[in-house]
Amino acid sequence: MEFDNALDVEYNNFFHLLQTKYHNLWHQAQENCWVVCVPHPDVIKGVNLNKNVIFNHVIRPSPLYKGQFLTCGKPPLKLEFNEEKILLENASEAKIVYEEMFYNEKFEPFKVYCIDGIIGDYERSEEGNSDANTFVLPKLTTGAEYLSWLHENVDKETLKSCKRLIASFNDEYLTAKGYLHYLKEKVHDLFNIIYTRLRGGHLIGKQSHTQPNIDAFWQEAVESLILLLAHKKLRHVFRREKEHENAVVKKAIEKLNNSPSLRDGVIPLGFEAVDLSQAVVILKETAEKGAKIDWMGGLQSCLDAITAAVSMRNVQEKSELVLTSDVLIPLVAVCVVQSNYFFIASDIAYVQDMGGIMSNTIEGSQSMFNIVTLEAAVSYVAQVCGLSISDARQRDEEKHIRGGVDTGKFDDNMNADMGIDNEEEDGDLGDGGEIKRVSLEGTTNSPQNVGCNISRAEATTTT
């Protein structure tokens, strides 16, 4: 037998099942510092790993006799063990071939043994360790689905304690202007604590027995829990820190909406008849979403709606409109204007920063392309009105240096006192008139300049 990967969930299906499908038992074993016995992968080949087989390998002290132990299966089996072997009452035994020390969230140690046998009765089948006996992580696409999954699969008291931590963060943590990095550190610490409690694994940063896809699933679940319960506070902070950027976007949107001729000038030539109403509705709904996974899903749906609208126009008019990046960005800009998404600049920063310190699922993905496209569209909205997002960002950074104190407490009417209507420093947008089309070539936020693949948006439907 080889022991290098004996206690690695990627190679040991028994240990994988214990930490996923039966993670409540795994969590209970940690809390009580019980002994966990994991059969070697070679031993469990062809074995039906049902619930009782799993439970028979978590061992707790007998409440009656010192030195005697019981399994957690039904009925519980009596056994004794020393440093070399486990002895069952029917005289059968299993040799301890490898052991490793694990730690619970209280830093208390508990032992996990790799053994060369199986404790208790078991059955063999042709399916053995097939997918039917393996816990399959569900494919969840919204924050509400992750929250529901946590309620169904995590110990209630543990979940309550995590919610209390988030509530305490919302009520008590103070934020000061210009100290956004401290808030990120606080959220990162909060994430690590809740991740450890909910996951039931040993210490963050020292886990070696975890499948990558399991890690990503739990990270997304914990991030969704935190953002669903704390997004009002967090977004409030970002909107305050990015108030000049938001003010520029707001002024540009209002100017374009007050002058339909100027707004129509944003639309690329040939695309004036494309119906963007569905995409606008989706983007407006996206503005209300607190969890990153929901916000990113809304943005993807918006871009999909734009693609569908162009394809529909091609079918109806028998045209050959091609949706390249130079066309997609202005069309997204039109959706931003018509949806009156005044806080879009700060919300982009919120999604990027909060996602980056928790699940980190944006970088290098389709989501990255979507974010860059939206950033370019927001910059475009400002540019056509003679404004600059980068200048506003610099002013926000200068304001951070000056600093200022905020209590961090707010109510649902927080948008009313964000201060973005203050015009004393924002300058005059100037009078109306014919708008000039702004070239996207060389734009800093253009997807072409960050190496993103535009192929999804270049597809064309023709007849």
Side-chain angles (χ1 to χ4, degrees):
M1 292 183 181
E2 296 182 0
F3 308 123
D4 290 344
N5 300 314
L7 294 180
D8 193 325
V9 295
E10 191 169 353
Y11 299 95
N12 193 315
N13 193 38
F14 180 99
F15 208 22
H16 173 80
L17 286 170
L18 178 60
Q19 292 192 39
T20 53
K21 187 175 183 179
Y22 301 104
H23 62 84
N24 282 337
L25 176 64
W26 171 242
H27 183 68
Q28 190 176 10
Q30 293 176 73
E31 283 191 332
N32 296 283
C33 297
W34 292 342
V35 174
V36 177
C37 295
V38 178
H40 191 279
D42 292 342
V43 174
I44 59 176
K45 289 180 179 178
V47 174
N48 182 8
L49 298 178
N50 57 37
K51 179 178 179 180
N52 210 47
V53 170
I54 301 292
F55 274 60
N56 274 338
H57 289 76
V58 176
I59 301 170
R60 54 192 173 87
S62 170
L64 300 177
Y65 302 104
K66 185 176 181 180
Q68 189 178 83
F69 297 84
L70 302 174
T71 67
C72 292
K74 293 183 178 180
L77 304 176
K78 297 178 183 179
L79 52 83
E80 297 179 0
F81 64 88
N82 52 39
E83 294 181 355
E84 296 182 355
K85 63 182 65 176
I86 297 174
L87 305 173
L88 286 96
E89 58 182 349
N90 60 3
S92 62
E93 63 181 46
K95 184 179 179 181
I96 299 173
V97 295
Y98 180 79
E99 74 174 69
E100 184 168 338
M101 193 72 72
F102 283 64
Y103 296 86
N104 61 22
E105 61 183 31
K106 298 177 182 178
F107 302 95
E108 298 170 333
F110 66 100
K111 290 184 177 180
V112 175
Y113 292 134
C114 177
I115 59 178
D116 68 352
I118 298 177
I119 300 174
D121 297 331
Y122 61 90
E123 297 178 353
R124 292 188 179 273
S125 64
E126 294 182 0
E127 295 182 0
N129 298 327
S130 66
D131 291 340
N133 295 309
T134 302
F135 177 70
V136 179
L137 292 172
K139 180 63 176 179
L140 306 181
T141 58
T142 68
E145 289 178 356
Y146 275 108
L147 191 58
S148 177
W149 187 89
L150 289 173
H151 278 285
E152 294 174 359
N153 293 275
V154 173
D155 176 71
K156 291 183 178 179
E157 290 304 316
T158 301
L159 188 57
K160 284 182 180 179
S161 70
C162 293
K163 288 183 176 181
R164 285 195 294 268
L165 282 175
I166 300 173
S168 177
F169 169 81
N170 283 334
D171 293 337
E172 299 175 7
Y173 183 65
L174 305 181
T175 59
K177 289 183 179 180
Y179 292 91
L180 188 60
H181 59 291
Y182 286 141
L183 176 70
K184 295 177 187 177
E185 291 176 1
K186 182 70 175 180
V187 173
H188 185 260
D189 292 342
L190 181 67
F191 172 82
N192 281 346
I193 294 172
I194 293 178
Y195 180 95
T196 303
R197 288 190 182 184
L198 294 183
R199 177 71 188 273
H202 43 306
L203 298 178
I204 296 294
K206 296 183 179 181
Q207 297 194 92
S208 58
H209 309 289
T210 312
Q211 264 186 322
N213 65 318
I214 298 176
D215 266 346
F217 179 88
W218 278 98
Q219 288 169 3
E220 195 79 67
V222 174
E223 177 190 273
S224 296
L225 174 66
I226 293 174
L227 294 185
L228 284 172
L229 299 181
H231 73 91
K232 286 186 177 182
K233 182 186 187 76
L234 295 172
R235 290 174 95 164
H236 167 72
V237 174
F238 276 87
R239 290 177 180 182
R240 183 193 62 201
E241 298 292 313
K242 303 289 182 180
E243 62 182 357
H244 284 97
E245 289 184 57
N246 285 337
V248 166
V249 173
K250 182 175 185 289
K251 287 180 178 294
I253 289 175
E254 289 178 339
K255 182 175 180 64
L256 292 170
N257 279 331
N258 290 332
S259 178
S261 61
L262 297 182
R263 184 184 63 206
D264 294 342
V266 177
I267 303 176
L269 294 174
F271 288 79
E272 295 86 352
V274 174
D275 182 8
L276 298 176
S277 58
Q278 185 62 31
V280 171
V281 170
I282 293 172
L283 187 59
K284 186 176 295 186
E285 293 173 348
T286 301
E288 305 300 322
K289 299 182 184 299
K292 184 205 70 183
I293 188 173
D294 297 330
W295 194 92
M296 292 302 305
L299 177 57
Q300 180 66 63
S301 297
C302 176
L303 295 177
D304 290 343
I306 293 174
T307 303
V310 172
S311 298
M312 180 62 68
R313 188 63 184 174
N314 280 331
V315 172
Q316 292 173 343
E317 300 298 325
K318 297 183 179 180
S319 55
E320 297 182 0
L321 299 176
V322 180
L323 192 57
T324 63
S325 59
D326 284 345
V327 172
L328 179 61
I329 291 172
L331 292 180
V332 175
V334 172
C335 294
V336 171
V337 172
Q338 293 184 356
S339 65
N340 289 320
Y341 198 164
F342 298 141
F343 298 109
I344 195 166
S346 60
D347 281 3
I348 290 174
Y350 159 76
V351 169
Q352 287 180 306
D353 287 353
M354 290 297 99
I357 63 177
M358 288 190 271
S359 68
N360 197 23
T361 55
I362 294 180
E363 186 174 354
S365 65
Q366 177 68 35
S367 297
M368 185 64 176
F369 165 79
N370 296 347
I371 283 282
V372 173
T373 299
L374 184 61
E375 286 181 317
V378 173
S379 294
Y380 186 67
V381 169
Q383 287 173 26
V384 295
C385 291
L387 298 170
S388 172
I389 291 291
S390 59
D391 289 347
R393 184 175 298 119
Q394 184 176 354
R395 290 167 64 190
D396 280 327
E397 291 173 355
E398 291 172 353
K399 175 198 64 179
H400 295 169
I401 297 175
R402 295 193 299 268
V405 179
D406 187 283
T407 63
K409 297 187 178 182
F410 53 91
D411 54 32
D412 291 335
N413 296 319
M414 62 181 179
N415 293 349
D417 52 20
M418 285 298 294
I420 65 171
D421 289 324
N422 187 351
E423 299 181 339
E424 64 180 18
E425 294 182 343
D426 292 324
D428 188 4
L429 287 176
D431 296 327
E434 184 176 355
I435 196 165
K436 293 183 179 180
R437 297 185 182 277
V438 178
S439 172
L440 294 173
E441 295 182 2
T443 301
T444 302
N445 289 331
S446 176
Q448 305 98 304
N449 295 332
V450 293
C452 289
N453 189 341
I454 197 69
S455 59
R456 179 193 68 80
E458 292 179 341
T460 307
T461 303
T462 62
T463 58

